Amino acid sequence: MTDVIRKHIRVEGIVQGVGFRPFVYRIATQWSLSGVVFNDSQGVQIEVEGPAGDVARFIGSLQGELPPLAAISRVECSDGPVTGQSGFSIIESRTASGRSAQIAPDSHVCSDCLVELFDPGNRRYHYPFINCTNCGPRYSIVADIPYDRPLTTMVDFPMCADCEIEYRDPFSRRFHAQPNACAECGPQLSLCDGQGESIRCNNPLQETVTRLKKGQIIAVKGLGGYHLAVDATNNAAVERLRQRKHRDEKPFALMAFNLEQVRTFARITTLEERMLSGIERPIVLLEKLPGSCIASLVAPGNRYYGVMLPYTPLHHLLLKQFSALVMTSGNRTDEPIAFEDGDATCRLDGIADGFLVHDRRIHVRTDDSIVRSMGGEPLLLRRSRGYVPRGVILPGTHLPVLALGAELKNVICLTRGERAYLSHHIGDMNNQDVVDSQRQAIDHLQSILEVEPQLVAHDMHPDYLSTRQAEAFAELKKVPVQHHHAHLASCMAENGVNVTVLGVIFDGTGYGSDGHIWGGEFLLGDYRNVKRVGHLDYLPMPGGDAATKEPWRMAISYLVQTFGADLPEDVLSFDVKPAELKLLKQMIARQLNSPLTSSGGRLFDAVAALVGIRDRVSYEGQAALELEMALEEDAGNCGSYPFSVRSEGEMLLIDSRPMIRQLIKDLAKRVSCSQISAQFHNGLTQAIVEVCERVRIEHGNFPVALSGGVFQNRYLTERTIEQLSEKAFEVLVHRQVPPNDGGLALGQAVIAGLQHDA
Ligand code: ZN
Ligand code: ZN
Ligand code: FE
């Protein structure tokens, strides 16, 4: 006889509403152990009794064979007195509140539910809202916690007897699945016209398919909002969508039925395959295959498609009948994604020919997330559906902080204990709608985390809407945080680092502590203090913000900086009137409306404009993206343009003039755009590495953190990591949050929290 023992086990993490208790019940009964399992306010508690070896195996399986949506953040075991109890049971929660437990992100429909969806013998055959404890909506339907049906938007749908039986049965996959429903009792589809009037038809889904095949634009209500769908192989339909959406060039995302379909139009590596099929189901950037059936207007001038697989049962039913659909977020450019029904019909009126809607309310809108592969691992470009509200573990516990994020790609962040929770993607803070939507996101995150922030962190920029938002929290202490310091801290925090780091922070725009516009920065420091040790040379940004929309202005600024009054105008290919050019040169000379900038993004803009890629952009980062797209496979062997690095006092400055001179010579020799792009990328990488080496000599050896939107550029980032590693630098990059401004709030929160710790 082996010794019988009793263990008390407490499990924290995403362990409620994800089938965790029945999972515990199953493995306990499998090992013939006795005891109980129940939810409490922190997570799940287990009492288990039996032979020591079996209890050990039970604990092993507990962590090794988790249900798909569960995630354990902590397990604590302690011994207890053996009671001789027999049998194992699930008992109802001892406390009403499950507030410290974590809500799971929305999940794609699981494979068991998919089998049932397409099984004519199943009672949920073709039911577009099938789900179970292992899958389905979570974050987007939760109004408050604990995560229980009455506090979700499923409160509108009382379960039928059959659903109720499943819900109560610990052996059912639907035991306590809060969104559990069937065609008898659950949400229903309907099809409406552009005015919101319902269209009479037997089968709204089939009618939608018919209309899409005819080339119509249909707004489809999904998990976190609306998509605008058109047949991706129909160029005329895609063109109409572009015209109606006033979206001239930004690529549209695609959805394809399965990996096999994706392979017909895009190249997929094993890693990308894993990213596409992961439970988060993000949009993955994939290299286009030439000559596919996809309409050319889906992603003009881009070597990549953004592709996702279906993630709701409704998507599966729709996509079964197409090679691929365009599924772009249902908003007018620059407005938040539509998610309320009335709102959607009004916002999308004049864009959509019809609306495929359902009556399950979306409580929180969540856009699709976007990832790309970088250095053999996924890199997030937009962190939203599927990832939110998963927490990021912080180096140490600190005060609860609300961080308001950046002006562009806004995401807010709340910290609680040793975790930071970032919101879904809110958007660019350029109108009242987005400001309102940010406020809703704050309220929601605050209520599901039940945390009262004690500090508000915000960007240092005096004119940002988010800075003014901070004033709304009158009773709380405000902590302004410098933009690039926040980027640095964000990268440190998600890497669990709390030492001095050299941050290489390259992005488009950020208010610097000297009042200039920063964005090509070398910052040495930690969460508390940071010192600027290097940057790209300052130069004027003629017209201020206008220069970010018209890259040719930066090109002229770089030329004036390099050549003075005697510009090599014969090699320029801009579509600009001589008078305009003259005016711009005067603005630079007289320093009129020409703030100084050290922005890396603007350097990319200038180069893109000089090589003739783009004088004007229709969305932020477009010129830089297209300059990256111009790179060919052999870019690594193309040589590099010279930048020079000089020191002024304690500051290292990267001077772009030698690079510009060489580039102009190459333009005159008609060197190809891809060759020029390669030499620019290679040269900039070398300059970054050189500055890091000189900082090391001057200040000592510190890990290098790469952050800022410029490091969404895969070639630049991979090459910089490679060369820094060759020089024996430890390199930190983003993996859990985006390097762009979408990850900024994390850094703001950590800085504010640690600076004000007792
Ligand atoms: Zn399922
Ligand atoms: Zn039912
Ligand atoms: Fe930034």
Side-chain angles (χ1 to χ4, degrees):
M1 270 300 275
T2 42
D3 285 348
V4 169
I5 59 166
R6 186 174 182 92
K7 287 268 183 199
H8 176 85
I9 306 163
R10 128 176 312 289
V11 188
E12 290 176 25
I14 300 175
V15 288
Q16 294 187 3
V18 292
F20 194 78
R21 285 174 304 157
F23 156 73
V24 170
Y25 179 83
R26 278 193 301 273
I27 48 175
T29 40
Q30 181 187 325
W31 294 108
S32 309
L33 300 172
S34 58
V36 291
V37 56
F38 56 91
N39 285 343
D40 75 353
S41 65
Q42 258 92 52
V44 166
Q45 296 204 47
I46 306 165
E47 297 277 344
V48 64
E49 186 170 312
D54 292 346
V55 170
R57 276 186 282 273
F58 166 84
I59 295 172
S61 323
L62 201 60
Q63 298 181 74
E65 306 157 21
L66 284 182
L69 299 188
I72 293 183
S73 58
R74 175 178 297 159
V75 180
E76 274 171 27
C77 290
S78 54
D79 294 313
V82 175
T83 64
Q85 178 186 11
S86 67
F88 197 93
S89 55
I90 298 175
I91 51 180
E92 283 305 312
S93 304
R94 288 193 177 169
T95 50
S97 165
R99 286 187 184 262
S100 299
Q102 296 162 39
I103 305 277
D106 296 311
S107 157
H108 86 284
V109 52
C110 73
S111 50
D112 291 333
C113 285
L114 274 181
V115 168
E116 294 172 352
L117 181 68
F118 290 110
D119 170 10
N122 190 279
R123 74 185 189 93
R124 290 188 180 85
Y125 177 61
H126 281 189
Y127 180 58
F129 303 96
I130 185 170
N131 68 81
C132 70
T133 45
N134 299 329
C135 74
R138 293 288 187 280
Y139 178 69
S140 61
I141 60 164
V142 173
D144 202 352
I145 50 167
Y147 175 60
D148 234 339
R149 192 165 175 118
L151 294 176
T152 70
T153 60
M154 286 303 290
V155 65
D156 305 344
F157 306 96
M159 273 182 277
C160 68
D162 289 344
C163 286
E164 189 82 41
I165 289 170
E166 296 164 334
Y167 185 86
R168 303 262 163 242
D169 174 8
F171 285 101
S172 161
R173 222 172 69 241
R174 299 194 165 87
F175 176 70
H176 282 209
Q178 306 305 346
N180 187 29
C182 71
E184 284 303 308
C185 63
Q188 302 294 331
L189 280 182
S190 57
L191 185 64
C192 304
D193 63 16
Q195 280 69 50
E197 296 295 321
S198 139
I199 296 168
R200 290 200 170 277
C201 57
N202 290 333
N203 185 337
L205 189 100
Q206 207 43 52
E207 180 62 25
T208 302
V209 170
T210 310
R211 286 169 180 246
L212 284 168
K213 296 247 187 222
K214 283 188 198 148
Q216 286 197 6
I217 300 168
I218 307 290
V220 178
K221 184 175 176 183
L223 196 53
Y226 280 75
H227 283 119
L228 287 164
V230 291
D231 180 352
T233 62
N234 183 336
N235 220 9
V238 178
E239 188 174 5
R240 206 162 339 106
L241 178 59
R242 283 212 176 273
Q243 285 162 355
R244 291 197 196 163
K245 238 192 141 194
H246 305 295
R247 183 158 164 170
D248 298 335
E249 284 151 326
K250 201 166 180 175
F252 286 141
L254 294 173
M255 187 182 273
F257 184 59
N258 55 22
L259 289 170
E260 213 170 297
Q261 286 287 353
V262 179
R263 281 195 197 95
T264 65
F265 58 83
R267 217 182 296 279
I268 333 180
T269 63
T270 329
L271 170 67
E272 287 160 347
E273 202 174 299
R274 245 191 298 134
M275 285 151 55
L276 279 165
S277 357
I279 59 165
E280 299 90 357
R281 290 287 157 109
I283 295 173
V284 183
L285 300 194
L286 299 174
E287 212 175 312
K288 278 180 182 175
L289 281 180
S292 78
C293 62
I294 302 297
S296 59
L297 282 173
V298 166
N302 204 311
R303 271 181 31 230
Y304 290 79
Y305 286 129
V307 185
M308 60 189 147
L309 293 178
Y311 52 88
T312 69
L314 174 60
H315 293 151
H316 280 272
L317 293 168
L318 264 180
L319 263 297
K320 210 169 167 48
Q321 312 197 43
F322 293 91
S323 307
L325 287 177
V326 162
M327 289 289 258
T328 183
S329 65
N331 58 343
R332 286 179 197 271
T333 303
D334 295 335
E335 283 179 1
I337 185 172
F339 71 104
E340 281 156 354
D341 299 341
D343 186 48
T345 35
C346 134
R347 275 179 205 272
L348 303 176
D349 184 28
I351 299 181
D353 300 307
F355 292 80
L356 181 63
V357 297
H358 58 75
D359 48 3
R360 185 177 72 203
R361 288 174 293 127
I362 297 169
H363 187 75
V364 187
R365 71 190 194 99
T366 42
D367 292 78
D368 297 314
S369 297
I370 308 176
V371 299
R372 79 184 301 182
S373 84
M374 206 269 297
E377 277 179 73
L379 175 76
L380 278 156
L381 303 181
R382 184 202 283 159
R383 183 184 188 275
S384 206
R385 177 189 47 77
Y387 297 87
V388 174
R390 212 183 278 163
V392 176
I393 299 177
L394 298 175
T397 321
H398 55 95
L399 290 176
V401 182
L402 167 65
L404 294 175
E407 203 73 344
L408 299 178
K409 299 187 168 69
N410 188 266
V411 163
I412 59 115
C413 175
L414 265 178
T415 64
R416 187 183 70 184
E418 58 191 10
R419 258 162 230 273
Y421 297 89
L422 287 99
S423 72
H424 55 271
H425 167 83
I426 295 165
D428 295 350
M429 301 280 288
N430 48 17
N431 61 60
Q432 193 55 41
D433 281 352
V434 188
V435 174
D436 294 345
S437 145
Q438 188 200 49
R439 187 67 216 215
Q440 288 163 10
I442 294 169
D443 292 344
H444 182 249
L445 210 53
Q446 239 177 280
S447 75
I448 64 168
L449 294 170
E450 202 191 29
V451 58
E452 283 295 331
Q454 296 181 29
L455 298 169
V456 182
H458 62 86
D459 198 277
M460 215 177 228
H461 198 301
D463 302 329
Y464 275 2
L465 278 177
S466 59
T467 305
R468 273 181 261 156
Q469 274 285 87
E471 297 307 318
F473 299 87
E475 69 291 0
L476 300 183
K477 188 174 163 54
K478 322 284 179 294
V479 186
V481 180
Q482 199 279 322
H483 188 95
H484 303 93
H485 187 198
H487 272 302
L488 169 67
S490 169
C491 188
M492 287 171 66
E494 71 149 278
N495 282 284
V497 163
N498 194 359
V499 294
T500 301
V501 160
L502 173 59
V504 181
I505 319 294
F506 276 52
D507 67 356
T509 304
Y511 186 81
S513 30
D514 58 1
H516 298 314
I517 300 168
W518 293 11
E521 309 306 313
F522 295 82
L523 304 177
L524 187 63
D526 53 26
Y527 299 115
R528 285 163 211 270
N529 297 301
V530 78
K531 184 179 163 177
R532 192 186 196 197
V533 291
H535 61 89
L536 288 175
D537 253 343
Y538 279 130
L539 84 171
M541 201 170 135
D545 267 355
T548 63
K549 298 187 180 89
E550 300 181 14
W552 71 273
R553 291 171 179 253
M554 286 315 294
I556 298 296
S557 188
Y558 270 98
L559 291 179
V560 170
Q561 191 197 38
T562 311
F563 300 100
D566 199 16
L567 298 195
E569 283 174 35
D570 47 322
V571 299
L572 301 185
S573 55
F574 313 144
D575 181 19
V576 172
K577 295 188 187 76
E580 252 184 305
L581 188 60
K582 195 175 157 205
L583 184 72
L584 196 87
K585 286 197 281 185
Q586 282 171 356
M587 278 172 77
I588 296 170
R590 296 185 192 153
Q591 297 170 18
L592 287 172
N593 189 20
S594 297
L596 291 180
T597 187
S598 55
S599 162
R602 297 296 83 79
L603 173 61
F604 273 82
D605 282 357
V607 172
L610 286 172
V611 298
I613 283 183
R614 197 156 286 283
D615 319 336
R616 291 173 176 78
V617 291
S618 58
Y619 60 93
E620 202 243 350
Q622 184 180 18
L625 180 74
E626 290 178 5
L627 191 62
E628 182 195 351
M629 295 293 145
L631 292 166
E632 304 278 350
E633 292 274 325
D634 66 339
N637 304 320
C638 284
S640 55
Y641 287 143
F643 286 78
S644 73
V645 178
R646 66 173 195 283
S647 57
E648 271 179 21
E650 291 207 289
M651 196 67 80
L652 293 163
L653 296 165
I654 298 181
D655 182 348
S656 304
R657 286 176 299 182
M659 179 277 293
I660 295 283
R661 257 182 233 117
Q662 197 58 46
L663 185 155
I664 294 296
K665 276 188 199 153
D666 279 354
L667 275 180
K669 284 192 280 185
R670 303 193 177 281
V671 171
S672 74
C673 167
S674 75
Q675 176 88 23
I676 292 178
S677 174
Q679 298 191 77
F680 164 69
H681 277 85
N682 296 341
L684 184 60
T685 308
Q686 280 182 9
I688 289 173
V689 174
E690 186 183 335
V691 174
C692 292
E693 288 191 280
R694 288 173 66 162
V695 172
R696 176 158 64 183
I697 293 167
E698 195 71 22
H699 301 274
N701 195 5
F702 301 105
V704 176
L706 306 180
S707 188
V710 168
F711 290 107
Q712 297 173 94
N713 182 314
R714 174 175 169 177
Y715 180 77
L716 181 81
T717 312
E718 288 180 347
R719 208 173 156 82
T720 307
I721 296 173
E722 194 182 292
Q723 295 193 7
L724 284 171
S725 308
E726 276 170 18
K727 307 273 183 194
F729 281 102
E730 183 193 341
V731 185
L732 307 173
V733 292
H734 285 279
R735 291 299 177 197
Q736 299 184 63
V737 303
N740 60 42
D741 286 359
L744 200 79
L746 173 63
Q748 292 175 338
V750 180
I751 289 172
L754 287 180
Q755 280 180 356
H756 289 80
D757 245 4

